[in-house]
Amino acid sequence: MTLYYVGIDGGGTSCRARIRDEAGNFIGEAKSGSANILLGVDVAMTSIIDAITQAARLGGLTEKDFPNMHVGLALAGAEQKSAWHSFMQQTHPFATIVLNTDAYGACVGAHNGDDGAIMIAGTGSCGIYLSAGQQHVVGGREFPISDQGGGAVMGLRLIQQVLLAEDGIVEKTPLAKHVIAHFNNDVDQIVEWSKNALPRDYGQFSPAIFQHAERGDSLAISMLKQTASDVEMFLIALNRKGATRICLMGSIAERIKAWLSPPVQNWVVEPQFDAIEGALMFAGKAEHNLY
């Protein structure tokens, strides 16, 4: 009987599955829908089974092989204890499942199972340090109360500055003009938009901030300096907990490296593997369950 190991990286947008056999040979990889367990544990399980089914078929396997599969799950929302327990109480067709957060999977993969830390900054942000089987987390309590260094907070601060520029309080730079043009040069449209805007809606302006900073825009430069300061704050916090090897992950973190101070840049290393590979590393190992 051949055993198989499955790694899952699941978030609010997609669920990615990768299957290897017990010798480490690649079997297949596929993607399905949302697997953030806070959006529904049943929805997440459906996406997981769907992604594994697709990946299995690519490698010539079927649902009959599911009982021989050990599944490692790196899922968004797993940090919420009640959601974790609700998910784990579901029935499933696999040999075992082990559930931890997507950040945990990313950190395990980034350091190939060794101790180390990651700083994720995309739309949101979160830092995690794994040491001697313990995980230490900084930030990551979601927008708008946390997630400094992420694209959503960048976008929120930008909108605030644009409104100040419209009031004649601060300079109206090309970046500010670009944003107000997005709203048809109508402040009232910004106000209405803000009432229902999601983190990703604020985060959509982060590419423009980087682009205008390259052109010397003073507002864009100040935005990136603040974001770099935010990221450094978390990196320093991780270092104080013992981390000396930190991987920057996510669209903002990877681009902000050049804006970090040289001492902090010395802690930054390149990730070795991705979150799916991290999940594969703890598949079948119950000690990696978050709760």
Side-chain angles (χ1 to χ4, degrees):
M1 179 183 71
T2 302
L3 295 179
Y4 300 96
Y5 293 87
V6 184
I8 297 286
D9 177 25
T13 302
S14 65
C15 170
R16 297 182 299 156
R18 184 178 299 153
I19 305 175
R20 295 188 185 278
D21 64 19
E22 54 194 324
N25 298 309
F26 176 79
I27 301 298
E29 184 171 333
K31 183 170 75 171
S32 63
S34 170
N36 183 328
I37 63 175
L38 295 182
L39 301 179
V41 296
D42 53 340
V43 172
M45 184 63 82
T46 297
S47 295
I48 289 162
I49 293 175
D50 183 21
I52 293 175
T53 300
Q54 293 181 56
R57 287 174 182 166
L58 290 173
L61 305 180
T62 70
E63 287 84 346
K64 293 181 180 179
D65 296 293
F66 284 3
N68 300 328
M69 292 182 180
H70 295 280
V71 183
L73 301 164
L75 303 183
E79 66 276 3
Q80 187 175 103
K81 193 171 186 178
S82 60
W84 186 94
H85 283 290
S86 293
F87 181 90
M88 294 296 280
Q89 288 168 5
Q90 294 186 99
T91 58
H92 62 82
F94 309 109
T96 64
I97 60 173
V98 174
L99 174 59
N100 213 303
T101 66
D102 50 348
Y104 183 85
C107 196
V108 171
H111 297 283
N112 195 18
D114 293 333
D115 290 354
I118 60 170
M119 179 64 208
I120 303 172
T123 302
S125 70
C126 181
I128 179 172
Y129 171 46
L130 301 182
S131 175
Q134 299 294 313
Q135 58 177 310
H136 309 274
V137 179
V138 294
R141 295 178 179 87
E142 300 194 1
F143 179 85
I145 63 170
S146 184
D147 285 1
Q148 296 94 326
V153 169
M154 287 176 67
L156 173 59
R157 288 174 176 158
L158 176 59
I159 292 295
Q160 292 171 338
Q161 291 299 308
V162 168
L163 294 177
L164 291 175
E166 288 299 304
D167 289 341
I169 298 172
V170 301
E171 179 187 359
K172 192 171 185 178
T173 71
L175 174 59
K177 292 176 182 177
H178 167 81
V179 175
I180 194 66
H182 177 83
F183 293 98
N184 299 310
N185 297 299
D186 186 350
V187 169
D188 287 343
Q189 278 196 25
I190 296 180
V191 175
E192 287 301 312
W193 168 86
S194 70
K195 293 177 181 177
N196 298 301
L198 299 172
R200 65 172 179 266
D201 298 320
Y202 285 100
Q204 70 178 306
F205 298 107
S206 59
I209 297 174
F210 281 100
Q211 291 164 5
H212 280 79
E214 292 174 357
R215 301 169 190 163
D217 187 287
S218 60
L219 174 57
I221 290 171
S222 70
M223 293 277 103
L224 292 189
K225 285 182 177 178
Q226 179 61 64
T227 297
S229 178
D230 289 341
V231 171
E232 281 201 17
M233 171 182 68
F234 288 124
L235 294 178
I236 290 169
L238 290 168
N239 178 257
R240 286 174 177 166
K241 294 178 184 296
T244 56
R245 297 163 57 248
I246 308 173
C247 297
L248 298 179
M249 310 182 81
S251 57
I252 302 299
E254 292 167 358
R255 299 184 69 181
I256 207 66
K257 180 181 177 181
W259 294 78
L260 301 176
S261 62
V264 172
Q265 287 192 34
N266 289 335
W267 303 329
V268 176
V269 298
E270 292 298 315
Q272 296 182 57
F273 297 102
D274 60 15
I276 313 179
E277 209 63 30
L280 270 162
M281 291 175 193
F282 63 73
K285 300 175 182 177
E287 64 271 22
H288 288 271
N289 274 315
L290 182 55
Y291 299 109

